[in-house]
Amino acid sequence: MSRLRRAGARTGGVAAAVVLTAVASGCGIRTTSVPVDAGPAPSRVPCSVTGDEIATQTSGVPVRVFLLCGSQLEPVDRRAPLPREKPDGDRVPTASALLAQLLAEPSENERQAGFSTAVKGPLLVTGGYKGDPAGTLRLSRQPEDLNPTALSQIVCTLANSSAGAGEASVVLGGPGHYPPRRLACTTGLKERPESAPPTTTGPPSPSAS
């Protein structure tokens, strides 16, 4: 009888193991041919420059530019050779200094942090024409002809400075006599800089004399 009991116990143990294996396999993750959208892969670049890098830039006034990092626009603090401006001063010197920063290649530390720029020269910025809204800036190339990411960099950099038109926007035109447009730097544009900057009406501005 003892032998039969031991044999029965062994048989029961094997059966239990089979049942547990079947349950475990049913609860596990099985391969499937259906694609699963898990979102973009996490970026391995820090997209952040250390304070030591900024501290070494001893000349110029603090400025903020938007560079490309991990397919998005991220702000970078720098110093630019620019006289300290007045709140209602000429926007062109500020815009020129910021554009020069965007045209310059990122520093070694910025490159290691994952930053790059899509803005390529030659490219200049001047004031508006007679009849343009106050605060208009005109580029030496038509904005629509620029690389979309480069235009997004320019819009966000100028819009978030004293060269902008307020409310995170900038009134921007080209060298021709096409009317300038007020372009906005939105969260969506920072996340998808390859898209076209949205236009906004904003408060009315008097014409330039």
Side-chain angles (χ1 to χ4, degrees), residues 101-139:
Q101 292 290 318
L102 293 175
L103 288 166
E105 288 295 326
S107 67
E108 180 62 27
N109 283 1
E110 290 171 346
R111 286 196 298 270
Q112 291 180 359
F115 289 105
S116 63
T117 181
V119 183
K120 305 298 180 184
L123 189 62
L124 301 173
V125 61
T126 60
Y129 298 154
K130 183 178 180 179
D132 282 346
T136 295
L137 297 170
R138 286 189 174 267
L139 300 174

Side-chain angles (χ1 to χ4, degrees), residues 76-173:
V76 175
D77 292 324
R78 290 179 176 174
R79 286 183 174 272
L82 181 70
R84 294 193 177 275
E85 53 192 328
K86 298 179 180 179
D88 297 324
D90 187 4
R91 289 178 168 87
V92 175
T94 300
S96 296
L98 292 172
L99 183 59
Q101 292 290 318
L102 293 175
L103 288 166
E105 288 295 326
S107 67
E108 180 62 27
N109 283 1
E110 290 171 346
R111 286 196 298 270
Q112 291 180 359
F115 289 105
S116 63
T117 181
V119 183
K120 305 298 180 184
L123 189 62
L124 301 173
V125 61
T126 60
Y129 298 154
K130 183 178 180 179
D132 282 346
T136 295
L137 297 170
R138 286 189 174 267
L139 300 174
S140 57
R141 294 164 60 188
Q142 196 65 24
E144 294 80 5
D145 295 338
L146 297 175
N147 176 294
T149 300
L151 179 59
S152 296
Q153 283 186 249
I154 294 171
V155 168
C156 283
T157 297
L158 297 180
N160 287 277
S161 74
S162 59
E167 299 182 355
S169 67
V170 59
V171 182
L172 205 60

